[in-house]
Amino acid sequence: MSAGDDALDVVVVGAGFAGLYALHRFRTQGLAVRVFESAPELGGTWYFNRYPGARCDVESVDYSYSFSDEIQQEWTWTEKYAAQSEILAYLTWVADKLDLRRDISFNTRVTAAVLDETTLRWSVTTEEGQTVTARFVVMATGALSAAVTPAFDGLELFRGELYHTAHWPHGGVDFTGKRVAVIGTGSSGIQSIPIIAEQAEHLTVFQRTPNYSIPAGNTSLTAEQVAEVKSTYAERRRASMRSGGGSPYVGTTRLTMDVSPEERRAAFEERWQLGGVLFSKTFPDQLTNSEANDEARSFWVEKIRAVIDDPEVAELLIPNDHPIGTKRICTDSNYFQTFNRPNVSLISVRRTPITSIDGTGINTSDAHVDLDAIVFATGFDALTGSLGKIDIVGRAGERLRDDWSAGPRSYLGLGDDGFPNLFVVTGPGAPAVLANMVLHAESHVDWIAEAIAYLDAHGYAGIEATPEAVENWLAELNQRAANTLFPKANSWYLGANIPGKPRVFMLFIGGFGAYNDICAQVAADGYRGFELIKEP
Ligand code: FAD
Ligand code: NAP
């Protein structure tokens, strides 16, 4: 514990995009801040996910901090979708430029945060047994930071190499001459499979649910493109903050079936050529109207069938159990074409489930696959996983874990009743993973910083969501989700990937710009729905 840690204003947990900005923002406001980060280095997602092909799926020029024009003018992205190493280099550069490291404790896992109701201070304890107290705790622990390896029977017997995409070795892995399995075909699997296939002697992909993916269309950025973005950054950022998903692209306002088949096709084609995740927002009703969604899906199916040689393999790779876009749409470079390679096989574990793993490979219900390495691309206990590992104890000894046993509770995704002065950044109850998470982290941290400034200026000791505000917000989240096609998919948005996790749609689906407006209005109304506490 460094000198002065007993007089902290804010403890921030996590040093990814969100925690780093929080440190800078709070420090600029004159607050005493300490960041605890369990990893040996900063970067969060971009420190851990070093698998081959890892890159962002929101354009780099948008998936970057907007709070400092100096930073966005000085840094130059080299690719439309930056690779993990470039994003990590960017975060390291920002941290050095802002001299952030001196207030970050690395290799320090927070295990508990306990409220003292008599002082309204939080005691934050680390794995090593250090305890500091602070007026505020900001959880920047990441929506996708608790990686999951399914408990396959016999996993511990395997004598080959085991990897998880979210804990990739720093020196990289050479699969040359090896028989490799990838389990999982979400974004991480879909990005890594084409590259692993180029190296491995043989790659077997174990697919549970086929996924929709759109060609990323990644390219190097030219000097002209960079100059154009830099000269229009202010407008680009304004449009992103107002948008549905945190990028500056505006879709048509016309509904899918209100345009002619030719216009519809042209609109889909235009988004296809743009590349990436925005395909699912070609028309505004694509995720609310089944007929509209079917149109987008048919376009997608036709494109994908055209690049897969074997019709039986195509049948396995084309999803038919959920509408397009209701799980996070993936972006790829030659994913579907990879299954045309002679050294790649596809096993549907829906047809032939994995029964066990043994010393030499994976057993399915009808075969044994000999392997030298297994890669788990099996995802995360999303949104609540990292928070759930911390023993968070609020008023009257109530644990956040228990309060959330039927699903996460919050008002605006920012605060929960019974847990005053505890904030969560880009967690459940907010758009979170449905938006560009860098800009979202900035908007959340700005809101929290302004709330703290307001409390300080008006002599308040604390801020706490009221139970009514939490209940109303949950009802609003549910109602908005029920009006969409999202509940039709067994997605991690609903916790469906984790056995036993309550099935609740955890996100605000009304769009990033609309959400920012709601948060701003709440603040303008004197923090409507929050109780401002004078004395502990
Ligand atoms: P993280 O980067 O996850 O950082 C959280 C930090 O908290 C971690 O460093 C973790 O070690 C630390 N931590 C957690 N618990 C504790 C604890 N108890 N004690 C101490 N430290 C703790 N989003 C997009 O918008 N666009 C993209 O293109 C995109 N691509 C992605 C690609 C991959 C491979 C993945 C996995 C996610 C991607 N995301 C993307 C989502 C991504 O997680 C966010 O964009 C963003 O990086 C999250 O930043 P964060 O700071 O909120 O969380
Ligand atoms: P994911 O989307 O949850 O995918 C995990 C995959 O593993 C799914 O195919 C899942 O199948 C499968 N799986 C899980 N448990 C299994 C089991 N027991 N047996 C067989 N298969 C199993 O995780 P992810 O790919 O790591 O991506 C998570 C999120 O991170 C993304 O949605 C995205 O938000 C972000 N991300 C973004 C990028 C990017 O392009 N920038 C890259 C990586 C990650 P089911 O579908 O049947 O559950």
Side-chain angles (χ1 to χ4, degrees):
M1 183 167 64
S2 65
D5 275 354
D6 53 347
L8 287 173
D9 293 306
V10 192
V11 163
V12 174
V13 189
F17 264 108
L20 293 173
Y21 176 56
L23 169 56
H24 170 70
R25 180 69 167 82
F26 298 149
R27 213 160 68 175
T28 309
Q29 195 162 306
L31 299 169
V33 191
R34 174 129 300 265
V35 178
F36 291 124
E37 169 55 61
S38 55
E41 255 303 333
L42 55 82
T45 288
W46 304 103
Y47 172 80
F48 288 106
N49 292 263
R50 297 167 186 247
Y51 60 83
R55 50 180 76 247
C56 53
D57 61 3
V58 170
E59 290 183 43
S60 331
V61 295
D62 300 315
Y63 187 70
S64 48
Y65 288 127
S66 70
F67 68 86
S68 155
D69 194 46
E70 189 180 317
I71 285 176
Q72 63 189 12
Q73 294 300 333
E74 280 184 21
W75 182 265
T76 295
W77 293 104
T78 65
E79 289 182 276
K80 184 176 176 190
Y81 299 107
Q84 169 272 332
S85 56
E86 190 172 1
I87 301 173
L88 187 59
Y90 166 80
L91 283 170
T92 306
W93 173 79
V94 171
D96 290 344
K97 187 175 171 64
L98 301 176
D99 189 21
L100 298 182
R101 284 176 195 278
R102 67 183 157 87
D103 288 322
I104 307 175
S105 304
F106 291 107
N107 294 306
T108 308
R109 178 176 296 283
V110 168
T111 51
V114 180
L115 176 72
D116 180 344
E117 284 190 75
T118 61
T119 58
L120 220 56
R121 287 183 77 85
W122 286 87
S123 290
V124 177
T125 304
T126 71
E127 205 163 40
E128 294 72 31
Q130 298 173 327
T131 298
V132 298
T133 73
R135 294 159 61 208
F136 301 96
V137 174
V138 173
M139 293 295 181
T141 42
L144 293 161
S145 56
V148 171
T149 301
F152 290 113
D153 261 3
L155 176 58
E156 69 290 352
L157 302 174
F158 185 60
R159 292 193 294 274
E161 303 156 30
L162 289 174
Y163 303 103
H164 193 294
T165 47
H167 289 286
W168 204 257
H170 287 202
V173 180
D174 184 3
F175 289 116
T176 308
K178 296 195 170 140
R179 297 159 304 170
V180 183
V182 173
I183 304 178
T185 52
S187 298
S188 304
I190 282 178
Q191 284 188 329
S192 56
I193 283 165
I195 301 177
I196 296 175
E198 283 172 12
Q199 247 185 25
E201 178 188 305
H202 194 90
L203 171 65
T204 308
V205 175
F206 290 82
Q207 169 190 271
R208 187 161 69 183
T209 312
N211 234 322
Y212 296 100
S213 184
I214 309 288
N218 188 37
T219 54
S220 299
L221 291 174
T222 63
E224 292 72 31
Q225 286 170 319
V226 169
E228 164 69 16
V229 168
K230 287 190 178 180
S231 66
T232 53
Y233 242 139
E235 184 44 39
R236 198 173 176 101
R237 299 305 200 171
R238 235 188 324 273
S240 299
M241 287 291 189
R242 304 288 329 129
S243 70
S247 292
Y249 296 100
V250 182
T252 168
T253 50
R254 291 171 308 165
L255 301 182
T256 308
M257 305 315 285
D258 287 353
V259 302
S260 70
E262 294 72 32
E263 284 174 286
R264 204 154 49 231
R265 203 176 164 76
F268 286 136
E269 185 64 39
E270 192 185 318
R271 279 290 163 116
W272 188 269
Q273 294 306 332
L274 178 65
V277 293
L278 293 170
F279 179 78
S280 53
K281 291 189 178 148
T282 310
F283 290 97
D285 55 346
Q286 227 166 289
L287 289 165
T288 51
N289 176 314
S290 291
E291 192 185 9
N293 192 280
D294 285 346
E295 288 290 319
R297 183 180 182 279
S298 301
F299 180 91
W300 182 91
V301 169
E302 191 186 318
K303 287 278 191 195
I304 296 309
R305 275 199 207 287
V307 300
I308 305 172
D309 294 343
D310 181 340
E312 275 182 37
V313 172
E315 222 41 62
L316 283 182
L317 286 168
I318 291 174
N320 55 19
D321 70 333
H322 63 284
I324 185 167
T326 54
K327 282 184 158 192
R328 172 76 176 196
I329 208 156
C330 305
T331 60
D332 70 275
S333 301
N334 289 325
Y335 173 66
F336 293 103
Q337 293 85 338
T338 296
F339 293 90
N340 299 335
R341 295 176 66 103
N343 70 330
V344 175
S345 352
L346 176 65
I347 292 182
S348 163
V349 304
R350 288 239 188 270
R351 287 192 184 171
T352 54
I354 296 174
T355 50
S356 65
I357 295 180
D358 62 24
T360 58
I362 295 179
N363 296 304
T364 69
S365 56
D366 76 345
H368 174 82
V369 182
D370 282 323
L371 295 165
D372 301 305
I374 301 175
V375 174
F376 290 94
T378 43
F380 301 86
D381 183 353
L383 291 154
T384 58
S386 284
L387 285 170
K389 290 181 187 170
I390 303 174
D391 196 23
I392 301 171
V393 185
R395 286 198 191 278
E398 184 176 25
R399 291 189 147 70
L400 190 81
R401 195 178 290 138
D402 297 333
D403 189 47
W404 287 15
S405 60
R409 299 178 75 257
S410 80
Y411 175 40
L412 307 177
L414 284 160
D416 187 5
D417 61 301
F419 301 86
N421 293 359
L422 178 87
F423 299 100
V424 177
V425 180
T426 58
V433 291
L434 298 176
N436 170 349
M437 287 187 74
V438 177
L439 297 191
H440 193 335
E442 286 185 340
S443 71
H444 259 176
V445 167
D446 287 344
W447 191 96
I448 296 165
E450 282 158 23
I452 293 175
Y454 184 92
L455 298 179
D456 288 350
H458 295 83
Y460 289 110
I463 179 168
E464 179 177 0
T466 66
E468 299 73 36
V470 170
E471 289 308 322
N472 290 340
W473 186 246
L474 293 182
E476 177 159 0
L477 296 184
N478 284 333
Q479 202 213 322
R480 283 180 185 264
N483 291 336
T484 72
L485 302 174
F486 279 89
K488 290 184 183 291
N490 287 318
S491 68
W492 56 256
Y493 299 151
L494 286 143
N497 62 327
I498 304 296
K501 194 165 172 174
R503 192 184 168 96
V504 180
F505 192 82
M506 294 184 272
L507 303 164
F508 174 84
I509 197 97
F512 182 53
Y515 172 80
N516 287 334
D517 285 347
I518 293 171
C519 292
Q521 195 55 53
V522 164
D525 294 347
Y527 295 92
R528 174 174 34 87
F530 288 95
E531 186 193 347
L532 303 183
I533 306 160
K534 271 278 179 211
E535 300 286 335

